[in-house]
């Protein structure tokens, strides 16, 4: 198994900082589908290659060709998933680093498949 680093994606907060805008403005642009994002376990990550950060406020700069919104329902944020189960997240993160679990680094969060997390949880107890 491996760690997949999605370098093209940043968090909404980071994208807002790069654009010089508020998080709410970026979320409005996502809702209007002018920014290309993926949604994983309630976490939005913006693709900075297809939607480069725009700092100015001109109408021509804000218009884009349309944003792709892709959802990945099979993935879970490892830390949030562990908090919900009231278990420590470090063994799961360590398993991703060591290659025993497949993981994705998207923006500033670590994700893994829900079924893999459950299987690892059952095997380690």
């Amino acid at each position: 198994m491996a760690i997949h680093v999605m370098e093209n994606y940043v968090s909404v907060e980071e994208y807002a900082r790069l654009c010089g805008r508020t998080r709410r403005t970026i979320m409005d642009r996502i809702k209007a589908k002018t920014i290309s994002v993926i949604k994983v376990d309630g976490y939005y990550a913006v693709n900075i290659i297809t939607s480069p950060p725009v700092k100015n406020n001109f109408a021509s700069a804000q218009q884009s060709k349309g944003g792709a919104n892709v959802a990945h329902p099979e993935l879970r944020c490892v830390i949030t998933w562990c908090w919900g189960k009231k278990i420590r997240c470090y063994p799961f993160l360590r398993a991703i680093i060591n290659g025993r679990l497949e993981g994705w680094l998207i923006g500033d969060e670590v994700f893994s498949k829900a079924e893999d997390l459950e299987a690892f949880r059952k095997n380690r107890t």
Side-chain angles (χ1 to χ4, degrees), residues 12-63:
V12 172
E13 292 79 12
E14 177 68 14
Y15 189 78
R17 188 187 64 74
L18 292 171
C19 290
R21 299 284 177 247
T22 63
R23 183 183 190 283
R24 180 74 259 156
T25 301
I26 302 306
M27 291 303 292
D28 290 343
R29 289 181 185 179
I30 290 170
K31 185 177 178 183
K33 297 191 181 201
T34 59
I35 297 176
S36 179
V37 298
I38 60 172
K39 182 179 181 183
V40 183
D41 197 25
Y43 175 83
Y44 287 98
V46 181
N47 189 333
I48 58 173
I49 301 298
T50 58
S51 300
V54 177
K55 291 192 177 189
N56 57 25
N57 205 13
F58 302 119
S60 61
Q62 290 181 1
Q63 295 174 353

Side-chain angles (χ1 to χ4, degrees), residues 3 78-79 89-98 101 110 120:
I3 300 173
V78 175
I79 295 172
C89 60
Y90 300 113
F92 296 90
L93 295 172
R94 197 174 306 120
I96 291 170
I97 291 169
N98 293 334
L101 282 175
V110 178
F120 184 77

